Amino acid sequence: MTVTHATPEEVAMILDWAAAEGWNPGLDDAGAFYQTDPEGFFLKRINGRPIAAISVVNHSHQFAFLGLYICKPEFRGQGHGLSLWTEALTHSGGRTVGLDGVPDQQTNYRASGFEPAGQTFRYQGAFTALAGVSSARALRSDEIPTLMNRDRQQVGFDRAVFLSAWLKDTETRRTLVVEQSGTIAGYATLRACREGYKIGPFSAESETVASNLLAGCAGIAGNGASVMVDVPDSRPALSNLLTAANFTVGFNTARMYRGAPPKSKLSLFTCVATLELG
């Protein structure tokens, strides 16, 4: 039995495992994930065969995020996941580590020193009720540093490496902004997934800006497209806007931290970028 770092191709394989578990990753997630921390993706192998995976991605000198914790079904219940978990967490050093934990694993995470700091609810629905005229436009590459700085102030830690990849347009991922008086008033990233679309990150201080961003996303995906949005329970404004558009809650996770939680100053309308990297 060995634990090794995953290659870029193996990160794509791990996301295929995640898709088989119903996690519905984005079509272009692998490259942006790997670029964030090439040494942050781990595989446990038996005789060279990958049987379990986890990511502990170091975003900054102070903060890391844990995700993609998967063991292939035929190897579960044999201690492989726990041993991989323990070894991979050493990669975080003395950083605070965050994760989004499903309900049936939260007791186990608390045993490893993680404490809950709120919940995240996944809203699912169709873009039909959100379509309309929008003032949202495509993010320009020279505006990415502005969004990085705003994100740093909001989430309470620096994830510039992640955002430098995540905010760049690909064939399946687009970032939109709404501008008011020459200043970016809100932004949203839309990405195509194995099924439908996910939005994240999302940031707006007013319902008008938030509605414009959602309408802009609807214009890209097309009316009737399925969409998922992961909303912290501390930001009911976005939850209320989605509920009014007939979105419903599919499931929830607990945001948990080992170490001091970051001091965030989230916008009134906010969603999580991705449950895998925070």
Side-chain angles (χ1 to χ4, degrees), residues 107-124:
T107 299
N108 293 331
Y109 298 153
R110 294 193 74 163
S112 293
F114 287 82
E115 292 297 331
Q119 296 189 80
T120 300
F121 292 89
R122 171 159 293 178
Y123 284 81
Q124 298 175 283

Side-chain angles (χ1 to χ4, degrees), residues 1-273:
M1 298 183 189
T2 59
V3 174
T4 65
H5 295 295
T7 66
E9 294 76 17
E10 287 171 334
V11 171
M13 176 194 71
I14 294 169
L15 290 174
D16 286 339
W17 292 2
E21 295 292 325
W23 297 1
N24 195 27
L27 299 179
D28 278 332
D29 285 359
F33 282 9
Y34 183 81
Q35 179 177 314
T36 303
D37 183 359
E39 296 185 348
F41 298 85
F42 301 85
L43 283 169
K44 186 168 188 178
R45 306 173 189 270
I46 295 180
N47 296 325
R49 176 189 177 189
I51 58 99
I54 195 171
S55 61
V56 179
V57 170
N58 292 338
H59 281 293
S60 70
H61 294 302
Q62 293 79 35
F63 190 80
F65 204 85
L66 185 153
L68 293 173
Y69 185 37
I70 309 172
C71 186
K72 299 194 76 172
E74 62 268 34
F75 293 96
R76 292 173 185 169
Q78 302 172 35
H80 297 301
L82 180 58
S83 65
L84 177 61
W85 164 283
T86 301
E87 183 163 345
L89 268 173
T90 64
H91 178 63
S92 65
R95 295 170 176 82
T96 290
V97 183
L99 61 79
D100 286 304
V102 295
D104 62 356
Q105 290 294 328
Q106 290 167 21
T107 299
N108 293 331
Y109 298 153
R110 294 193 74 163
S112 293
F114 287 82
E115 292 297 331
Q119 296 189 80
T120 300
F121 292 89
R122 171 159 293 178
Y123 284 81
Q124 298 175 283
F127 264 140
T128 305
L130 299 174
V133 177
S134 173
S135 61
R137 62 166 174 81
L139 172 71
R140 300 193 309 264
S141 60
D142 65 296
E143 294 172 322
I144 291 178
T146 299
L147 265 59
M148 287 180 179
N149 182 58
R150 178 167 172 171
D151 182 82
R152 185 183 307 112
Q153 296 173 7
Q154 289 197 69
V155 303
F157 61 93
D158 189 351
R159 52 180 182 179
V161 178
F162 167 61
L163 292 176
S164 68
W166 197 251
L167 298 178
K168 290 179 180 176
D169 284 355
T170 69
E171 289 186 3
T172 67
R173 189 174 61 241
R174 297 275 302 279
T175 296
L176 301 177
V177 299
V178 170
E179 189 175 352
Q180 292 182 336
S181 302
T183 301
I184 293 176
Y187 58 91
T189 298
L190 173 76
R191 75 192 201 273
C193 297
R194 306 297 175 96
E195 297 180 7
Y197 294 81
K198 290 180 182 176
I199 294 176
F202 187 99
S203 174
E205 291 292 355
S206 73
E207 184 172 336
T208 298
V209 172
S211 296
N212 267 283
L213 288 169
L214 292 172
C217 290
I220 295 172
N223 292 345
S226 174
V227 65
M228 286 143 275
V229 191
D230 296 316
V231 185
D233 62 352
S234 62
R235 291 296 175 265
L238 183 55
S239 298
N240 294 339
L241 186 60
L242 293 168
T243 299
N246 299 318
F247 278 52
T248 58
V249 174
F251 68 90
N252 67 285
T253 61
R255 174 58 62 91
M256 307 179 76
Y257 296 103
R258 190 183 74 172
K263 296 180 180 180
S264 60
K265 297 179 181 179
L266 300 177
S267 296
L268 185 62
F269 295 81
T270 300
C271 81
V272 174

